[in-house]
Amino acid sequence: MKKVGYLLFGICILTALGCGNRFLREVDTSYPTEFDLGPFNLLEETRTQLAYHDRESVFFVDENSASAGFDIIHAETPGIDSLNVFVDNVYDDSTGVRTTYVSQYLDDTLRSAALNLEFIVRLRARPNLANPGSRDVGDWVEVWTKEPGADAFRKTFETVFNQRSWPGDELTPPVDEVTIFNRIFQDVWMHQVAGGPGEVWFNRQYGIVSFTDGSGRQWRFQNLE
């Protein structure tokens, strides 16, 4: 009787599993959905709106008034990235989207021999991938950092610089006012990219207004020349 009981139990389990499969979502053979959005170029007006435009150097001070200067090296022409990005869980049924597009960008490189530190402040045209297949676009500013001893740059900050058609409800607003070492700055973006080596604070008037280097030392914008 035990053997008969085990057999009946096994049949019941198999029957239940078979019934359950009816309610599983069918596999979409076209998964993931793919879009080719083509090229996105920076607006002409955006290219000259960074604080570093036509400037040669920028200076920062620490809390003890020690000064450090950065040379500004301007890219002569914009660059182009061909990007292929996968975003999971986009639709209600949790399917993903793969989007290919061409992004134009323009770099200002800030280089300090004293601190052995470099920033790339990059303007980039990029689409809103949260709205699959759309041509919503914004001109973003990105800050890439290369710490002493590092082999490559890491992105430490980004925010929209020229909203264009980017949805406003998806953007992080700047902080109205920030005081750093007894100096007040208005409209400062203070968030940083997750996993970045140090904080970067930024506004339109001065560019990087504050950063924290790899040793935890904070620096504040002083002037542009």
Side-chain angles (χ1 to χ4, degrees):
M1 292 296 292
K2 276 188 176 181
K3 289 183 179 179
V4 174
Y6 289 144
L7 180 60
L8 290 174
F9 178 74
I11 291 172
C12 290
I13 293 296
L14 291 174
T15 302
L17 289 175
C19 292
N21 284 337
R22 297 178 193 170
F23 301 101
L24 294 178
R25 179 171 61 85
E26 292 184 4
V27 175
D28 184 356
T29 55
S30 64
Y31 171 87
T33 305
E34 296 189 17
F35 295 101
D36 186 351
L37 298 180
F40 291 88
N41 293 328
L42 291 164
L43 287 182
E44 287 294 329
E45 64 189 65
T46 304
R47 296 188 192 184
T48 59
Q49 287 179 344
L50 274 181
Y52 307 116
H53 183 67
D54 286 340
R55 299 301 188 106
E56 296 182 356
S57 55
V58 56
F59 294 88
F60 294 85
V61 294
D62 68 5
E63 62 181 344
N64 298 314
S65 299
S67 178
F70 287 75
D71 295 326
I72 303 173
I73 300 97
H74 303 285
E76 294 184 4
T77 57
I80 293 290
D81 275 339
S82 294
L83 300 171
N84 188 328
V85 181
F86 175 71
V87 180
D88 199 3
N89 297 325
V90 171
Y91 295 119
D92 291 339
D93 61 2
S94 297
T95 56
V97 170
R98 187 172 295 280
T99 302
T100 59
Y101 64 97
V102 175
S103 171
Q104 187 182 58
Y105 64 90
L106 186 63
D107 288 351
D108 287 327
T109 300
L110 280 54
R111 185 174 297 154
S112 172
L115 297 181
N116 191 20
L117 182 64
E118 289 184 64
F119 294 107
I120 292 176
V121 182
R122 172 171 294 170
L123 290 172
R124 178 188 293 282
R126 75 188 210 196
N128 178 17
L129 299 181
N131 186 6
S134 79
R135 292 284 299 178
D136 289 343
V137 60
D139 291 341
W140 283 64
V141 62
E142 305 170 351
V143 178
W144 295 73
T145 309
K146 187 176 181 182
E147 296 282 343
D151 295 327
F153 285 87
R154 296 181 62 188
K155 184 163 39 172
T156 55
F157 172 87
E158 62 180 12
T159 194
V160 72
F161 193 75
N162 190 326
Q163 184 176 341
R164 298 176 66 173
S165 58
W166 199 284
D169 58 356
E170 296 186 6
L171 301 176
T172 302
V175 176
D176 291 338
E177 187 173 286
V178 176
T179 301
I180 310 170
F181 305 158
N182 299 317
R183 181 169 177 178
I184 297 173
F185 297 90
Q186 277 84 33
D187 299 324
V188 177
W189 285 284
M190 300 175 64
H191 61 284
Q192 66 181 112
V193 175
E199 289 185 338
V200 171
W201 299 357
F202 189 97
N203 76 357
R204 292 179 179 277
Q205 186 175 6
Y206 302 119
I208 298 173
V209 298
S210 178
F211 66 89
T212 303
D213 63 25
S215 67
R217 189 179 183 185
Q218 186 178 7
W219 296 85
R220 187 213 71 198
F221 171 84
Q222 181 69 6
N223 67 289
L224 282 158
E225 293 184 357

